[in-house]
């Protein structure tokens, strides 16, 4: 039975799919609308959306909620990343950081996975720096301005496989599916 990934974002599906498959799970995108509450905690956002979808679909569901937390901006845009990306965008963030030397930022990823009788929630992060200029056409969102620790490339310059070696989402999805697989064994 497939797991329904409640997301409007195809990139997220493409990133998560190979990781789930490694553990023997198939995920497919669902067009059920992600029910997004407003909360400062992305794990709460993911959990609520997963419960909402599960209660309606009554099938295995996966929700992932992510955000970019910039140190010098006290964690902004964080849980507002989607709105900030759509409004001021990458240009706006770079403008806000024009005279800021401390470029440190972390992407956080919260996963809520409901697969009866199990419910798994995971929070992971990847830290790095905000680049001075956007680089690369791959990925989505803030990928062109984020350079993860351990690389010189932005996420925007990486293939899915390479981004998955570093990303917050790869870490959270990996942990969620390895945990699920473990539960099935026991
Ligand atoms: P959903 O339908 O799954 O909610 P979304 O694209 O709206 O997809 P989120 O709400 O989880 O995703 O993420 C909020 C924003 O944070 C998103 O629009 C991007 O701008 C940014 N973001 C999240 N993960 C990212 C990543 O891996 N790379 C670049 N930007 C990311
Ligand atoms: Na969203």
């Amino acid at each position: 039975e497939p797991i329904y990934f409640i997301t409007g974002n195809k990139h997220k599906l493409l990133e998560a799919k190979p990781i789930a498959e490694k553990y023997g799970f198939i995920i497919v995108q669902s067009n059920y609308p992600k029910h997004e509450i407003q909360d400062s905690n992305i794990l709460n956002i993911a959990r609520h959306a997963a419960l909402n979808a599960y209660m309606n679909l009554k099938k295995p569901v996966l929700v992932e909620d992510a955000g970019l937390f910039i140190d010098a901006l006290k964690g902004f845009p964080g849980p507002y990343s989607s709105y900030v990306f759509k409004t001021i965008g990458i240009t706006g963030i770079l403008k806000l950081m024009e005279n800021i030397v401390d470029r440190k930022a972390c992407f956080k990823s919260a996963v809520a996975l409901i697969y009866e009788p199990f419910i798994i929630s995971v929070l992971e992060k990847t830290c790095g720096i905000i680049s001075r200029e956007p680089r690369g056409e791959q990925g989505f969102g803030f990928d062109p301005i984020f350079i993860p620790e351990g690389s010189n490339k932005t996420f925007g310059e990486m293939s899915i496989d390479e981004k998955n070696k570093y990303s917050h989402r790869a870490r959270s999805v990996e942990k969620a599916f390895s945990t699920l697989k473990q539960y099935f064994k026991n």
Side-chain angles (χ1 to χ4, degrees), residues 117-175:
F118 307 118
I119 171 158
I120 292 165
S121 50
V122 177
L123 181 65
E124 284 290 325
K125 68 176 177 183
T126 293
C127 296
I129 57 171
I130 301 297
S131 62
R132 292 275 172 187
E133 311 259 293
R135 293 199 317 251
E137 274 83 55
Q138 302 183 77
F140 68 98
F142 296 108
D143 278 346
I145 57 167
F146 183 80
I147 303 170
E149 239 168 66
S151 178
N152 298 314
K153 291 184 189 173
T154 66
F155 275 167
E157 296 175 298
M158 296 182 183
S159 64
I160 286 175
D161 278 357
E162 195 173 5
K163 182 179 172 184
N164 275 351
K165 293 196 179 104
Y166 300 95
S167 90
H168 50 306
R169 178 166 306 102
R171 288 175 182 161
S172 60
V173 169
E174 173 98 32
K175 196 173 231 174

Side-chain angles (χ1 to χ4, degrees), residues 6-98:
I6 312 300
T7 180
N9 185 331
K10 259 215 158 63
H11 297 275
K12 284 188 176 185
L13 177 76
L14 292 173
E15 292 176 18
K17 209 173 162 54
I19 301 168
E21 282 171 2
K22 218 170 67 181
Y23 292 97
F25 298 100
I26 300 296
I27 56 182
V28 297
Q29 192 168 10
S30 166
N31 53 14
Y32 182 81
K34 183 180 177 191
H35 175 77
E36 292 198 64
I37 58 158
Q38 244 194 43
D39 198 299
S40 57
N41 180 339
I42 61 169
L43 201 44
N44 285 339
I45 299 174
R47 284 190 188 120
H48 274 264
L51 280 170
N52 172 274
Y54 179 70
M55 286 188 300
N56 284 277
L57 300 173
K58 308 211 163 61
K59 287 179 168 141
V61 296
L62 170 70
V63 168
E64 192 259 356
D65 205 75
L68 178 63
F69 297 72
I70 301 173
D71 277 20
L73 305 180
K74 301 191 180 350
F76 181 84
Y80 314 108
S81 293
S82 180
Y83 180 75
V84 168
F85 181 76
K86 279 183 258 175
T87 53
I88 66 172
I90 282 179
T91 317
I93 292 290
L94 288 179
K95 187 109 196 154
L96 283 175
M97 299 208 41
E98 220 162 37

